[in-house]
Amino acid sequence: MPPVPRRRVVGAAVLALVSAVAVATPLMVAAAPTVSVEQLTEALTCQCGCGLTVANCNHPNCEFSVPVRDQIDSMVKRGMSGPQVIAFYRTKYGEKILSAPTTQGFNLLAWIMPFAALAAGAALIAITVGRWRGSSPAPAPAPAEGANGASHDPFDAELRRRLERELRDRI
Amino acid sequence: MPLIGQLALALALVLACYSIVANVIGARAGVPTLITSARHALWAMSAMVTVAVGVMWASLLHSDFSLEYVASYTSYSLPTVYKITALWGGQQGSLMFWTWLLSIFTAIVAFQNRRRNADSAPYALAVLAGLAVFFLYMLNFVTRPFDLLAAIPADGQDLNPLLQNYWMAIHPPSLYTGYVSASVPFAFGAASLITGRTDDSWIRSTRRWAIFSWFFLTLGNLFGARWAYEVLGWGGYWAWDPVENAAFMPWLVMTAYLHSVMIQERKDMLKVWNLVLIGMAFALTLFGTFITRSGVISSVHSFTQSGLGPYFLTFLIAVVVLYTGLLLMRVKSLRTPAEFESYLSREAAFLFNNLILVGIAFAVFWGTLFPVLSEAVRGIKITVGPPFFNKVNAPLALALVFLMGVGPLIAWRRSSLDSLAKTFASPAIFALATGLCTFLAGLRQWYVLTALSLAAFVIGTIVVEFRRGVSARRHLVHETPVVALANLVAKNNRRYGGYIIHVGVVLAFVGIVASSFFRTEVKKSVKEGESFQVGPYDLEYLGIDTTETAHLESSRARVEVRRAGRPIAMMEPAKLFYKQPQQPATAVAIRSTPASDLYVVLAGIDDQTGLVTFQVFLTPLVFWLWAGGFIMAFGTVVAMWPNVRERAAIAAAVRVAVPAGAEPVPGGD
């Protein structure tokens, strides 16, 4: 790997620092990240018909989500764990109250399929590329990428002059 | 009047049917006059649908409650702007609006191709006319917009209050435009399969239509998210609702398509895949409509559920089967010798970009349909909500952002590790330093750190690419940096428009990550004159103003926002009560800055105790989601801007058997 110019390193680091401060400050000001009560209310679907989670139900005086949020808050304060809270509601309302499929039995399929499809897609790409490489002629010398994917390979002087002339005509 | 509308729709159906027959026979038998006649029929069809839409708008504006549709979705007191938008507020109207857009786009395509694409245009127009026939059949026989009521009511039932919002006025038209315009590249793709002309002329001819569709799908999704943010009052903008998902999937597949066609244009590869992608994108637009109309999956956005599901499902299946059949018929001739040298190449980056985009689309599709599957298999209808979609898509989003940084800078054919190191050194250092700095600033969530580092990486690669282009121009044509930058973008607008879009995507991504991980919520009941704190802000409740119009009652709270003791804003969240549908609604107050959004909801008013309850969200960086969206839109306009050199290339690609005496028309679409 060729040495990276020092000026470039310093420039990138300063830029990174400025961007990081600009991004991180509002995040830190916005206080603590997701608390467990919010995670739990996010894990349950509101039963008022809004179609959203208990955390996100958009009915300010919802008869379901408002008391459930308060109930979960007091459960957590009483020391109940997350799984216990979820189990409580699951027993009471059935599986439909969970906002995501469980990871057991048939529901496991929900979680596996997207990644299985992705793996199948990757395998298909690998097979197809393998065929392409097998059928394509011997590769020419590799060009090195530069601006706009242009080559950095050493040209002879005449070729470079011609390239520049043509570029000038085009741009 | 209504009779004129219904008659216009009937004539439009006849004209669309005629156009299919005339186009197909004309093309097969080589009868140019028949093809010309078919084109005229399509223009007439478009005029007829325009007449029908005009009649409906006139009826809506004049509150003609003899029409069932007008009585169902408007009232005398409904503001004029919502009488206009009521066209897409109900089922029949929105289907007619869809048909209208389709007829206009078809007329434009007929005009654009009157002297070019002589072999494929008749078939493409026949496909578009075929789509129009389905929608016109629905409007004539299944869900008629001009049905009359036996007894005229004194007033209408009014538009759903949730739809009486600025963003809802522009969200459906944007989304529909995106959906419907996707049918143009689809039609030309199908035409290329029918004619057996399997080069990339169909892609070049419809490239601008594809970007146009993507542009409006982007805006449609963005406006929908903004509508949810402002109207639903839960402080969020995306709930992975089935209807939201249905709008998101075509966008994902269309994004994959726009990247993938670059490989075909450049290297004549992926012909089958591009045809699959455009077929998939179009089918997903129909699937979206099926989801919205059928009520098969419950959704917060389904305002017009009906019994149309079976019709749409049948049509969707027919389209998929026919298109797949055509594709299988031509698959042999579509296979061309491909040149692929290395995984360290732009081709590979684009292939993986496609894999991830289609992978996300599949995950969303799967999660959306899984409740139906579960009910069919186990008899239990479960919910698949945000936790599922977030968990599944979060790692894929990171991979996509990474590829967004790699793709544009890596060379075609192959790259050496040395050249990769040289190209990506600065962006990689920038990314690592950003990750480190944010870690030192106190952030500890690995996902956030990775996301911000990758965002920095992509921005770094784009800056490097712009810097290289500018210095190349300065060196070659001795321009000043500003002029060099302007000319760089102007002369390579497709490429640099794409980079601007990437900047927008990254900013939106940062906004999404920050707002998902760091939202603060405070719920507080206070009396007049009392204050409470949310993050760095003090909010003082000053009182309530009540107003009443013929249309609604409004109770608007005045909340003074102070920071460090200094007043910075007066916010006025409100509770509304619509009189005609007798329905309450919430009007949130939002103070948006690049750092964070302060979002105040008036959650409740207790007249007895004088207590007023506020629900307040402090969401960091969500501003950048919207800003990023508009930068994406701006970048798309740059990429779509007509480019003389490109128009010449398109003209060369699509120049075929021009009818005698006709002048070939240069240019794209």
Side-chain angles (χ1 to χ4, degrees), chain A residues 43-44 86-87 90-91 94-113, chain B residues 366 370 374 378 380-385 387-388 391-392:
Chain A
L44 301 174
I86 298 293
R90 190 178 168 179
T91 311
E95 205 177 319
K96 65 176 181 180
I97 197 167
L98 304 180
S99 62
T102 60
T103 49
Q104 288 151 1
F106 181 76
N107 284 344
L108 192 58
L109 205 60
W111 296 97
I112 289 174
M113 272 300 278
Chain B
W366 179 248
F370 196 77
S374 169
R378 297 169 64 210
I380 299 171
K381 191 162 188 171
I382 63 160
T383 310
V384 179
F388 170 84
K391 277 183 190 156
V392 170

Side-chain angles (χ1 to χ4, degrees), chain B residues 588-606:
Chain B
V588 302
I590 303 169
R591 182 179 181 273
S592 188
T593 67
S596 60
D597 273 22
L598 187 64
Y599 183 104
V600 184
V601 183
L602 178 55
I605 304 168
D606 190 331

Side-chain angles (χ1 to χ4, degrees), chain B residues 149-231:
Chain B
L149 285 172
I152 301 174
D155 199 355
Q157 293 167 29
D158 211 354
L159 190 66
N160 186 328
L162 289 175
L163 302 180
Q164 295 181 37
N165 174 273
Y166 167 76
W167 294 105
M168 198 36 109
I170 58 173
H171 157 62
S174 307
L175 201 58
Y176 281 19
T177 304
Y179 276 177
V180 179
S181 51
S183 53
V184 177
F186 168 77
F188 274 87
S192 82
L193 290 171
I194 294 167
T195 58
R197 190 178 175 201
T198 53
D199 60 11
D200 65 0
S201 62
W202 72 272
I203 289 175
R204 289 182 187 276
S205 295
T206 58
R207 190 183 77 79
R208 202 158 270 118
W209 278 104
I211 300 177
F212 178 82
S213 168
W214 188 86
F215 173 77
F216 278 100
L217 286 174
T218 305
L219 287 184
N221 276 285
L222 192 71
F223 295 161
R226 185 71 200 190
W227 169 80
Y229 188 57
E230 285 192 7
V231 172

Side-chain angles (χ1 to χ4, degrees), chain B residues 364-379:
Chain B
V364 175
F365 179 81
W366 179 248
T368 307
L369 279 190
F370 196 77
V372 180
L373 195 66
S374 169
E375 194 172 17
V377 175
R378 297 169 64 210

Side-chain angles (χ1 to χ4, degrees), chain B residues 342-374:
Chain B
S342 166
Y343 278 106
L344 293 179
S345 64
R346 191 174 297 185
E347 296 91 310
F350 278 17
L351 280 179
F352 286 107
N353 142 306
N354 266 237
L355 174 67
I356 303 289
L357 281 166
V358 176
I360 295 174
F362 176 76
V364 175
F365 179 81
W366 179 248
T368 307
L369 279 190
F370 196 77
V372 180
L373 195 66
S374 169

Side-chain angles (χ1 to χ4, degrees), chain A residues 8 30 58 95 99 140 145 170, chain B residues 232 378 385 414 419 426 520:
Chain A
R8 196 183 282 182
N58 62 326
E95 205 177 319
S99 62
E145 64 271 49
R170 279 182 71 82
Chain B
L232 297 185
R378 297 169 64 210
R414 65 195 163 109
S419 64
S426 297
T520 304

